[in-house]
Structures are given as C-alpha cells and as structure tokens.
Amino acid sequence: MLHVTCTVTPGHSIVRLVGEIDRINVTELVHTLDRARRIDERLVVDLGQVTFSDVAGVRALSLFAGSGPTVVRDTPQQIDRLMRLLDLPSFRERGDGDGRRTDADPPASARSDGDLRGG
C-alpha cells in the first residue's frame, strides 16, 4: 500500500509518499504526481517514508523528476542503490535534491490526501 499526501505551502507543494511503490501502483502514483505538479511551479517529492520500491517505481520517479521542476528529497538508501544498479543518475547528481531534508516541515494541514492501494 502507498499513501500520498500533498501539502501546499508558499512557493511550492510537498508530496509525501509513505509505503511501497511497485508496478501495481506506479501508474496511479505518476498520475497523482502529475496532478500535484499543476498546483505549484515547484514540486517537492519527499521519499523519506518509502519502505520499498521496485524497478518500475524507481524508473517512474526518475522519469517524473526529469520531466519538470521537481525536487526529490529524503531518498532512501535502497532507492539510491537501485538507481546506481540501473545506471540512473541519483536525484542528488541531477540537481533534483540532495537526498536529505532541505525544507522546513510544512504545516499540519494538507490540501489533499489519498491512498493508492495495490490490487
């Protein structure tokens, strides 16, 4: 199961992913991220609570981050390792983020909240 929250703050929106990303939910995740990108010019994707991602998830995140103004932060070591194995540049190398928390925590209120459940 993957839980996605989007918090709108001045200047950017923060999308937090919690749980597992895999081929079952990756299409819906990218669709959700595309919708979130339309909210603000700058989108921050926080992966700090992602517990697992398969190859499909890592490739989708990499393509999404490279297709528009996106900062990816708090990248788990497992995702960094998988990106190296797939010969994909890390989010840090691409300038998408340094892999660590770079923004202050947003306010507790979230603009949208949803679950992506694998079938």
Side-chain angles (χ1 to χ4, degrees):
M1 181 166 66
L2 180 64
H3 184 76
V4 179
T5 61
C6 180
T7 305
V8 178
T9 62
H12 62 277
S13 292
I14 300 172
V15 176
R16 283 196 173 84
L17 308 181
V18 178
E20 300 182 357
I21 305 169
D22 58 29
R23 66 179 182 80
I24 293 172
N25 62 21
V26 74
T27 301
E28 184 63 26
L29 171 61
V30 171
H31 180 70
T32 300
L33 291 172
D34 281 335
R35 286 184 298 185
R37 185 178 273 159
R38 290 184 227 141
I39 295 170
D40 281 313
E41 290 183 19
R42 181 171 178 242
L43 183 65
V44 176
V45 179
D46 187 321
L47 303 180
Q49 295 182 34
V50 172
T51 57
F52 171 81
S53 181
D54 66 6
V55 170
V58 169
R59 287 181 193 223
L61 287 170
S62 181
L63 285 170
F64 178 80
S67 68
T70 303
V71 172
V72 179
R73 71 178 188 192
D74 286 345
T75 306
Q77 289 181 353
Q78 180 255 353
I79 290 178
D80 277 336
R81 182 174 183 268
L82 195 49
M83 290 179 85
R84 283 191 308 271
L85 291 171
L86 294 170
D87 201 26
L88 296 171
S90 72
F91 297 119
R92 188 176 314 119
E93 292 169 351
R94 295 158 30 148
D96 296 335
D98 67 1
R100 294 174 296 218
R101 188 167 307 283
T102 56
D103 298 292
D105 284 336
S109 61
R111 179 167 171 166
S112 64
D113 182 329
D115 282 328
L116 298 177
R117 300 174 194 265

Coordinates of all heavy atoms in Angstrom, one line a residue, residues 19-103:
G19 N 5.1 4.3 2.3 CA 4.8 2.9 2.0 C 5.6 2.3 0.8 O 6.8 2.7 0.7
E20 N 5.0 1.5 0.0 CA 5.7 0.8 -1.0 C 5.2 1.2 -2.4 O 4.1 1.4 -2.7 CB 5.4 -0.7 -0.9 CG 5.9 -1.3 0.4 CD 5.7 -2.8 0.6 OE1 5.1 -3.4 -0.4 OE2 6.1 -3.3 1.6
I21 N 6.2 1.4 -3.3 CA 6.0 1.7 -4.7 C 6.3 0.5 -5.5 O 7.5 0.0 -5.4 CB 6.9 2.9 -5.1 CG1 6.6 4.1 -4.2 CG2 6.5 3.3 -6.6 CD1 7.7 5.2 -4.5
D22 N 5.4 0.1 -6.3 CA 5.7 -1.1 -7.2 C 4.9 -1.0 -8.5 O 4.1 0.0 -8.7 CB 5.4 -2.4 -6.5 CG 4.0 -2.5 -6.0 OD1 3.1 -2.0 -6.6 OD2 3.8 -3.2 -4.9
R23 N 5.0 -2.0 -9.3 CA 4.4 -1.9 -10.7 C 2.9 -1.9 -10.6 O 2.2 -1.4 -11.5 CB 4.8 -3.1 -11.5 CG 4.4 -4.4 -11.0 CD 4.8 -5.6 -11.9 NE 4.3 -6.8 -11.4 CZ 3.1 -7.3 -11.6 NH1 2.2 -6.6 -12.3 NH2 2.7 -8.5 -11.1
I24 N 2.3 -2.3 -9.4 CA 0.9 -2.3 -9.3 C 0.3 -0.9 -9.1 O -0.7 -0.5 -9.6 CB 0.4 -3.2 -8.1 CG1 0.7 -4.6 -8.5 CG2 -1.1 -3.0 -7.8 CD1 0.5 -5.7 -7.4
N25 N 1.1 0.0 -8.4 CA 0.6 1.3 -8.1 C 1.3 2.5 -8.7 O 1.0 3.6 -8.6 CB 0.5 1.6 -6.5 CG 1.9 1.5 -5.9 OD1 2.9 1.7 -6.5 ND2 1.9 1.3 -4.6
V26 N 2.3 2.1 -9.5 CA 3.2 3.2 -10.1 C 2.4 4.0 -11.1 O 2.7 5.3 -11.2 CB 4.5 2.6 -10.7 CG1 4.2 1.8 -12.0 CG2 5.5 3.6 -10.9
T27 N 1.5 3.5 -11.9 CA 0.8 4.3 -12.9 C -0.1 5.3 -12.2 O -0.1 6.5 -12.5 CB -0.1 3.4 -13.8 OG1 0.8 2.5 -14.4 CG2 -0.8 4.2 -14.8
E28 N -0.8 4.9 -11.1 CA -1.6 5.8 -10.4 C -0.7 6.9 -9.6 O -1.1 8.1 -9.5 CB -2.5 5.1 -9.4 CG -3.4 6.0 -8.6 CD -4.5 6.7 -9.5 OE1 -4.8 6.2 -10.6 OE2 -4.9 7.8 -9.1
L29 N 0.4 6.5 -9.1 CA 1.3 7.4 -8.5 C 1.8 8.5 -9.4 O 1.7 9.7 -9.1 CB 2.6 6.7 -7.9 CG 3.7 7.6 -7.4 CD1 3.2 8.5 -6.3 CD2 4.9 6.8 -7.0
V30 N 2.2 8.1 -10.6 CA 2.6 9.2 -11.6 C 1.5 10.1 -12.0 O 1.6 11.3 -12.1 CB 3.3 8.5 -12.9 CG1 3.5 9.5 -14.0 CG2 4.5 7.8 -12.5
H31 N 0.3 9.5 -12.1 CA -0.9 10.3 -12.4 C -1.1 11.3 -11.3 O -1.4 12.5 -11.5 CB -2.1 9.4 -12.6 CG -3.4 10.2 -12.9 ND1 -3.6 10.8 -14.1 CD2 -4.5 10.4 -12.2 CE1 -4.8 11.4 -14.1 NE2 -5.3 11.1 -12.9
T32 N -1.0 10.9 -10.0 CA -1.2 11.8 -8.9 C -0.1 12.8 -8.8 O -0.4 14.0 -8.5 CB -1.2 10.9 -7.6 OG1 -2.2 10.0 -7.6 CG2 -1.3 11.8 -6.3
L33 N 1.1 12.5 -9.1 CA 2.2 13.4 -9.1 C 2.0 14.5 -10.2 O 2.3 15.7 -10.0 CB 3.6 12.7 -9.3 CG 4.0 11.9 -8.1 CD1 5.3 11.1 -8.5 CD2 4.3 12.8 -6.9
D34 N 1.5 14.0 -11.4 CA 1.3 15.0 -12.5 C 0.2 16.0 -12.0 O 0.3 17.2 -12.3 CB 0.8 14.3 -13.7 CG 1.9 13.6 -14.5 OD1 3.0 14.1 -14.4 OD2 1.6 12.6 -15.2
R35 N -0.8 15.5 -11.3 CA -1.9 16.5 -10.8 C -1.3 17.4 -9.8 O -1.6 18.6 -9.8 CB -3.0 15.7 -10.2 CG -3.9 15.0 -11.3 CD -5.1 14.4 -10.6 NE -4.6 13.3 -9.7 CZ -5.3 12.5 -9.1 NH1 -6.6 12.5 -9.2 NH2 -4.8 11.5 -8.3
A36 N -0.4 16.9 -8.9 CA 0.2 17.8 -7.9 C 1.1 18.8 -8.6 O 1.2 20.0 -8.1 CB 1.0 17.0 -6.9
R37 N 1.8 18.5 -9.6 CA 2.7 19.4 -10.3 C 1.9 20.6 -10.8 O 2.4 21.7 -11.0 CB 3.4 18.7 -11.4 CG 4.4 19.6 -12.1 CD 5.2 18.9 -13.1 NE 6.4 18.2 -12.6 CZ 7.0 17.2 -13.2 NH1 6.6 16.8 -14.3 NH2 8.0 16.7 -12.6
R38 N 0.6 20.5 -11.1 CA -0.2 21.6 -11.7 C -0.6 22.6 -10.6 O -1.0 23.7 -10.9 CB -1.4 21.0 -12.3 CG -1.1 20.3 -13.6 CD -2.3 19.9 -14.3 NE -2.1 18.5 -14.7 CZ -3.0 17.5 -14.7 NH1 -4.3 17.8 -14.2 NH2 -2.8 16.3 -15.0
I39 N -0.4 22.2 -9.3 CA -0.8 23.1 -8.2 C 0.2 24.3 -8.1 O -0.2 25.4 -7.9 CB -0.8 22.3 -6.9 CG1 -1.9 21.3 -7.0 CG2 -1.0 23.3 -5.7 CD1 -2.0 20.3 -5.8
D40 N 1.5 24.0 -8.2 CA 2.6 25.0 -8.0 C 3.6 24.8 -9.1 O 3.7 23.8 -9.7 CB 3.3 24.8 -6.6 CG 2.5 25.4 -5.5 OD1 2.0 26.6 -5.6 OD2 2.3 24.8 -4.5
E41 N 4.4 25.9 -9.2 CA 5.5 25.8 -10.2 C 6.6 24.8 -9.7 O 7.3 24.2 -10.5 CB 6.1 27.2 -10.4 CG 5.2 28.1 -11.2 CD 5.9 29.4 -11.4 OE1 7.1 29.5 -11.3 OE2 5.2 30.4 -11.7
R42 N 6.8 24.7 -8.4 CA 7.8 23.9 -7.8 C 7.2 22.8 -7.0 O 6.4 23.1 -6.1 CB 8.8 24.7 -7.0 CG 9.9 23.9 -6.4 CD 11.0 24.8 -5.8 NE 12.0 24.0 -5.2 CZ 12.3 24.0 -3.9 NH1 11.6 24.7 -3.0 NH2 13.2 23.2 -3.4
L43 N 7.6 21.5 -7.3 CA 7.1 20.4 -6.5 C 8.2 19.7 -5.8 O 9.3 19.5 -6.4 CB 6.4 19.4 -7.5 CG 5.8 18.2 -6.9 CD1 4.6 18.6 -6.0 CD2 5.3 17.2 -8.0
V44 N 8.0 19.4 -4.5 CA 9.0 18.7 -3.7 C 8.4 17.3 -3.4 O 7.2 17.3 -2.9 CB 9.3 19.4 -2.4 CG1 10.2 18.6 -1.5 CG2 9.9 20.8 -2.7
V45 N 9.1 16.3 -3.8 CA 8.6 14.9 -3.5 C 9.5 14.3 -2.4 O 10.7 14.2 -2.6 CB 8.7 14.0 -4.8 CG1 8.2 12.6 -4.5 CG2 7.8 14.6 -5.9
D46 N 8.9 14.0 -1.3 CA 9.6 13.5 -0.1 C 9.4 12.0 -0.1 O 8.3 11.5 0.1 CB 9.0 14.1 1.2 CG 9.8 13.8 2.4 OD1 10.2 12.6 2.5 OD2 9.9 14.7 3.3
L47 N 10.6 11.3 -0.2 CA 10.6 9.8 -0.2 C 11.0 9.2 1.1 O 11.2 8.0 1.2 CB 11.5 9.3 -1.3 CG 11.3 9.8 -2.7 CD1 12.3 9.2 -3.7 CD2 9.9 9.4 -3.2
G48 N 11.1 10.1 2.1 CA 11.7 9.6 3.4 C 11.0 8.5 4.1 O 11.5 7.8 4.9
Q49 N 9.7 8.2 3.8 CA 8.9 7.2 4.4 C 8.6 6.1 3.4 O 7.7 5.3 3.7 CB 7.7 7.7 5.1 CG 8.1 8.6 6.2 CD 6.9 9.2 7.0 OE1 5.9 8.5 7.1 NE2 7.0 10.4 7.4
V50 N 9.3 6.0 2.3 CA 9.1 4.9 1.3 C 9.9 3.7 1.9 O 11.1 3.8 2.1 CB 9.5 5.3 -0.1 CG1 9.5 4.1 -1.0 CG2 8.7 6.4 -0.6
T51 N 9.2 2.6 2.1 CA 9.8 1.4 2.7 C 10.3 0.5 1.6 O 11.1 -0.4 1.9 CB 8.9 0.7 3.6 OG1 7.7 0.4 2.9 CG2 8.5 1.6 4.8
F52 N 9.8 0.6 0.4 CA 10.2 -0.3 -0.7 C 9.9 0.3 -2.0 O 8.9 1.0 -2.2 CB 9.5 -1.7 -0.6 CG 9.7 -2.5 -1.8 CD1 10.8 -3.3 -1.9 CD2 8.7 -2.6 -2.8 CE1 11.0 -4.1 -3.0 CE2 8.9 -3.4 -3.9 CZ 10.1 -4.2 -4.0
S53 N 10.7 0.1 -3.0 CA 10.4 0.5 -4.4 C 11.0 -0.6 -5.3 O 12.2 -0.9 -5.2 CB 10.9 1.9 -4.8 OG 10.5 2.2 -6.1
D54 N 10.3 -1.0 -6.3 CA 10.8 -2.0 -7.3 C 11.4 -1.1 -8.4 O 11.4 0.1 -8.4 CB 9.8 -3.0 -7.7 CG 8.6 -2.4 -8.5 OD1 8.6 -1.2 -8.8 OD2 7.7 -3.2 -8.8
V55 N 11.9 -1.8 -9.4 CA 12.5 -1.2 -10.6 C 11.5 -0.3 -11.3 O 11.8 0.9 -11.7 CB 13.0 -2.2 -11.6 CG1 13.5 -1.6 -12.9 CG2 14.2 -3.0 -10.9
A56 N 10.2 -0.7 -11.4 CA 9.2 0.1 -12.1 C 9.0 1.5 -11.3 O 8.9 2.5 -11.9 CB 7.9 -0.6 -12.2
G57 N 9.0 1.4 -10.0 CA 8.9 2.6 -9.2 C 10.0 3.6 -9.3 O 9.8 4.8 -9.5
V58 N 11.2 3.0 -9.3 CA 12.4 3.9 -9.4 C 12.5 4.5 -10.8 O 12.8 5.7 -10.9 CB 13.7 3.1 -9.1 CG1 15.0 3.8 -9.5 CG2 13.7 2.7 -7.6
R59 N 12.2 3.8 -11.8 CA 12.3 4.3 -13.2 C 11.2 5.4 -13.3 O 11.5 6.5 -13.9 CB 12.1 3.2 -14.2 CG 13.3 2.4 -14.4 CD 13.1 1.3 -15.4 NE 14.2 0.4 -15.3 CZ 14.8 -0.1 -16.3 NH1 14.5 0.2 -17.6 NH2 15.8 -1.0 -16.1
A60 N 10.0 5.2 -12.8 CA 8.9 6.2 -12.9 C 9.3 7.4 -12.2 O 9.1 8.5 -12.7 CB 7.6 5.6 -12.4
L61 N 9.8 7.3 -11.0 CA 10.2 8.5 -10.2 C 11.3 9.3 -10.9 O 11.3 10.5 -11.0 CB 10.7 8.1 -8.8 CG 9.6 7.7 -7.8 CD1 10.3 7.1 -6.6 CD2 8.7 8.9 -7.5
S62 N 12.3 8.5 -11.5 CA 13.4 9.2 -12.2 C 12.8 9.9 -13.5 O 13.2 11.1 -13.7 CB 14.4 8.1 -12.7 OG 15.4 8.7 -13.3
L63 N 12.0 9.3 -14.2 CA 11.4 10.0 -15.4 C 10.5 11.2 -15.0 O 10.6 12.2 -15.6 CB 10.5 9.0 -16.2 CG 11.3 8.0 -17.0 CD1 10.3 6.9 -17.6 CD2 12.0 8.6 -18.2
F64 N 9.7 11.0 -13.9 CA 8.9 12.1 -13.5 C 9.8 13.3 -13.0 O 9.5 14.5 -13.4 CB 8.0 11.7 -12.4 CG 7.2 12.8 -11.8 CD1 6.0 13.2 -12.5 CD2 7.5 13.5 -10.7 CE1 5.2 14.3 -12.1 CE2 6.8 14.6 -10.3 CZ 5.6 15.0 -10.9
A65 N 10.8 13.0 -12.2 CA 11.6 14.1 -11.7 C 12.4 14.8 -12.9 O 12.6 16.0 -12.8 CB 12.6 13.6 -10.7
G66 N 12.7 14.1 -13.9 CA 13.4 14.7 -15.0 C 12.5 15.4 -16.0 O 13.0 16.1 -16.9
S67 N 11.2 15.3 -15.8 CA 10.3 15.9 -16.8 C 9.7 17.3 -16.4 O 8.9 17.8 -17.1 CB 9.1 15.0 -17.1 OG 8.3 14.9 -15.9
G68 N 10.2 17.8 -15.3 CA 9.7 19.1 -14.9 C 10.3 19.6 -13.6 O 11.1 18.9 -13.1
P69 N 9.9 20.8 -13.1 CA 10.5 21.3 -11.9 C 10.1 20.5 -10.7 O 9.0 20.7 -10.1 CB 9.9 22.8 -11.9 CG 8.7 22.7 -12.7 CD 8.9 21.6 -13.7
T70 N 11.0 19.6 -10.3 CA 10.8 18.8 -9.2 C 12.0 18.6 -8.3 O 13.1 18.4 -8.9 CB 10.3 17.4 -9.7 OG1 9.2 17.5 -10.5 CG2 10.0 16.4 -8.5
V71 N 11.9 18.7 -7.0 CA 13.0 18.4 -6.1 C 12.6 17.1 -5.4 O 11.5 17.0 -4.8 CB 13.2 19.5 -5.1 CG1 14.2 19.1 -4.0 CG2 13.7 20.8 -5.8
V72 N 13.5 16.1 -5.4 CA 13.2 14.9 -4.7 C 14.1 14.9 -3.5 O 15.3 15.1 -3.6 CB 13.5 13.6 -5.6 CG1 13.3 12.4 -4.8 CG2 12.7 13.7 -6.8
R73 N 13.6 14.6 -2.3 CA 14.3 14.7 -1.1 C 14.1 13.5 -0.2 O 13.2 12.7 -0.4 CB 14.0 16.0 -0.3 CG 12.7 15.9 0.4 CD 12.4 17.2 1.2 NE 11.2 17.1 1.9 CZ 10.6 18.0 2.6 NH1 11.1 19.2 2.5 NH2 9.5 17.8 3.2
D74 N 15.0 13.3 0.8 CA 15.0 12.1 1.7 C 14.9 10.8 1.0 O 14.1 9.9 1.3 CB 13.8 12.3 2.7 CG 14.0 13.4 3.7 OD1 15.2 13.8 3.9 OD2 13.0 13.7 4.3
T75 N 15.7 10.6 0.0 CA 15.8 9.4 -0.8 C 16.3 8.3 0.0 O 17.4 8.3 0.5 CB 16.6 9.6 -2.1 OG1 16.2 10.7 -2.8 CG2 16.5 8.4 -3.0
P76 N 15.6 7.2 0.2 CA 16.1 6.0 1.0 C 17.3 5.4 0.3 O 17.4 5.4 -0.9 CB 14.9 5.1 1.0 CG 13.7 5.9 0.7 CD 14.2 7.0 -0.2
Q77 N 18.2 4.8 1.1 CA 19.4 4.2 0.5 C 19.0 3.1 -0.5 O 19.7 2.9 -1.5 CB 20.2 3.6 1.7 CG 20.9 4.6 2.5 CD 21.7 4.0 3.6 OE1 21.7 2.8 3.8 NE2 22.5 4.8 4.3
Q78 N 17.9 2.4 -0.2 CA 17.5 1.3 -1.2 C 17.2 1.9 -2.5 O 17.6 1.3 -3.6 CB 16.3 0.6 -0.6 CG 15.8 -0.6 -1.4 CD 14.5 -0.2 -2.2 OE1 13.9 0.8 -2.0 NE2 14.2 -1.1 -3.1
I79 N 16.6 3.0 -2.6 CA 16.3 3.6 -3.9 C 17.6 4.2 -4.6 O 17.8 4.0 -5.8 CB 15.2 4.7 -3.8 CG1 13.9 4.1 -3.4 CG2 15.1 5.6 -5.0 CD1 12.8 5.1 -3.2
D80 N 18.5 4.8 -3.8 CA 19.7 5.2 -4.3 C 20.5 4.1 -4.9 O 21.1 4.2 -6.0 CB 20.6 5.9 -3.2 CG 20.2 7.4 -3.0 OD1 19.7 8.0 -3.9 OD2 20.5 7.9 -1.9
R81 N 20.5 3.0 -4.2 CA 21.3 1.8 -4.6 C 20.7 1.2 -5.9 O 21.4 0.9 -6.9 CB 21.3 0.7 -3.5 CG 22.0 -0.5 -3.9 CD 22.1 -1.5 -2.7 NE 22.9 -2.6 -3.1 CZ 22.4 -3.8 -3.6 NH1 21.1 -3.9 -3.8 NH2 23.2 -4.8 -4.0
L82 N 19.4 1.1 -6.0 CA 18.7 0.6 -7.2 C 19.0 1.6 -8.4 O 19.2 1.1 -9.5 CB 17.2 0.5 -6.9 CG 16.4 -0.3 -7.9 CD1 17.0 -1.7 -8.2 CD2 15.0 -0.5 -7.4
M83 N 19.0 2.9 -8.1 CA 19.3 3.8 -9.2 C 20.7 3.6 -9.7 O 20.9 3.6 -10.9 CB 19.1 5.3 -8.7 CG 17.7 5.6 -8.5 SD 17.4 7.3 -7.9 CE 17.4 8.2 -9.5
R84 N 21.7 3.3 -8.8 CA 23.0 3.0 -9.3 C 23.1 1.8 -10.1 O 23.7 1.7 -11.1 CB 24.0 2.9 -8.1 CG 24.4 4.2 -7.5 CD 25.5 4.1 -6.5 NE 25.3 3.1 -5.5 CZ 24.7 3.3 -4.3 NH1 24.2 4.5 -4.0 NH2 24.5 2.4 -3.4
L85 N 22.4 0.7 -9.6 CA 22.3 -0.6 -10.4 C 21.7 -0.4 -11.7 O 22.1 -1.1 -12.7 CB 21.6 -1.6 -9.6 CG 22.3 -2.1 -8.3 CD1 21.3 -3.0 -7.5 CD2 23.6 -2.8 -8.6
L86 N 20.7 0.5 -11.9 CA 20.1 0.7 -13.1 C 20.8 1.8 -14.0 O 20.4 2.1 -15.1 CB 18.6 1.2 -12.9 CG 17.7 0.2 -12.3 CD1 16.4 0.9 -11.8 CD2 17.5 -1.0 -13.2
D87 N 21.9 2.3 -13.5 CA 22.8 3.3 -14.1 C 22.0 4.5 -14.4 O 22.1 5.2 -15.4 CB 23.3 2.7 -15.4 CG 24.5 3.5 -15.9 OD1 25.2 4.1 -15.1 OD2 24.8 3.5 -17.1
L88 N 21.1 4.9 -13.4 CA 20.4 6.2 -13.5 C 21.1 7.2 -12.6 O 21.6 6.8 -11.5 CB 19.0 6.0 -13.0 CG 18.1 5.1 -13.8 CD1 16.8 4.8 -13.0 CD2 17.8 5.7 -15.1
P89 N 21.2 8.4 -13.0 CA 21.8 9.4 -12.1 C 20.9 9.6 -10.8 O 19.7 9.6 -10.9 CB 21.8 10.7 -12.9 CG 20.8 10.5 -14.0 CD 20.7 9.0 -14.2
S90 N 21.6 9.7 -9.7 CA 20.8 9.9 -8.5 C 20.1 11.3 -8.5 O 20.5 12.2 -9.3 CB 21.7 9.8 -7.2 OG 22.6 11.0 -7.2
F91 N 19.1 11.5 -7.7 CA 18.5 12.8 -7.6 C 19.5 13.9 -7.2 O 19.4 15.0 -7.7 CB 17.3 12.7 -6.7 CG 16.2 11.8 -7.2 CD1 15.9 10.7 -6.4 CD2 15.6 11.9 -8.4 CE1 14.9 9.8 -6.8 CE2 14.6 11.0 -8.8 CZ 14.3 9.9 -8.0
R92 N 20.4 13.6 -6.4 CA 21.5 14.5 -6.0 C 22.3 14.9 -7.2 O 22.6 16.1 -7.3 CB 22.3 13.8 -4.9 CG 23.3 14.7 -4.2 CD 24.0 13.9 -3.1 NE 23.1 13.1 -2.3 CZ 23.1 11.8 -2.2 NH1 24.0 11.1 -2.8 NH2 22.3 11.1 -1.4
E93 N 22.7 14.0 -8.0 CA 23.6 14.3 -9.1 C 22.9 15.1 -10.2 O 23.5 15.9 -10.9 CB 24.1 13.0 -9.8 CG 25.0 12.2 -9.0 CD 25.2 10.8 -9.5 OE1 24.5 10.4 -10.5 OE2 26.1 10.1 -9.0
R94 N 21.6 14.9 -10.3 CA 20.8 15.6 -11.3 C 20.4 17.0 -10.9 O 19.8 17.8 -11.7 CB 19.5 14.8 -11.6 CG 19.8 13.5 -12.3 CD 18.8 12.5 -12.1 NE 17.4 13.0 -12.1 CZ 16.4 12.4 -12.6 NH1 16.6 11.2 -13.2 NH2 15.2 12.9 -12.5
G95 N 20.7 17.3 -9.6 CA 20.3 18.6 -9.1 C 18.8 18.6 -8.7 O 18.3 19.7 -8.4
D96 N 18.2 17.4 -8.6 CA 16.8 17.4 -8.2 C 16.7 17.5 -6.7 O 15.6 17.6 -6.1 CB 16.2 16.0 -8.6 CG 16.1 15.9 -10.1 OD1 16.1 16.9 -10.8 OD2 16.1 14.8 -10.6
G97 N 17.8 17.4 -6.0 CA 17.7 17.4 -4.5 C 19.0 16.8 -4.0 O 19.7 16.1 -4.7
D98 N 19.3 17.0 -2.7 CA 20.5 16.4 -2.1 C 20.2 15.1 -1.4 O 21.1 14.6 -0.8 CB 21.2 17.4 -1.2 CG 20.4 17.7 0.0 OD1 19.3 17.2 0.2 OD2 20.9 18.6 0.8
G99 N 19.0 14.6 -1.5 CA 18.7 13.3 -0.8 C 18.4 13.4 0.7 O 18.1 12.5 1.3
R100 N 18.5 14.6 1.2 CA 18.2 14.9 2.6 C 17.2 15.9 2.7 O 16.9 16.7 1.8 CB 19.5 15.3 3.4 CG 20.6 14.3 3.4 CD 21.8 14.9 4.0 NE 22.2 15.9 3.1 CZ 23.5 16.2 2.8 NH1 24.4 15.5 3.4 NH2 23.8 17.1 1.9
R101 N 16.6 16.0 3.9 CA 15.6 17.0 4.1 C 16.2 18.4 3.9 O 17.1 18.8 4.6 CB 15.0 16.9 5.5 CG 13.8 17.8 5.7 CD 13.0 17.4 6.9 NE 12.6 16.1 7.0 CZ 11.6 15.5 6.3 NH1 10.9 16.2 5.5 NH2 11.3 14.2 6.5
T102 N 15.6 19.2 3.0 CA 16.1 20.5 2.8 C 15.1 21.6 3.1 O 15.5 22.8 3.2 CB 16.5 20.7 1.3 OG1 15.3 20.4 0.5 CG2 17.6 19.8 0.9
D103 N 13.8 21.3 3.3 CA 12.8 22.3 3.6 C 12.3 22.1 5.0 O 12.3 21.0 5.5 CB 11.6 22.1 2.6 CG 12.1 22.3 1.2 OD1 12.4 23.5 0.8 OD2 12.1 21.4 0.4

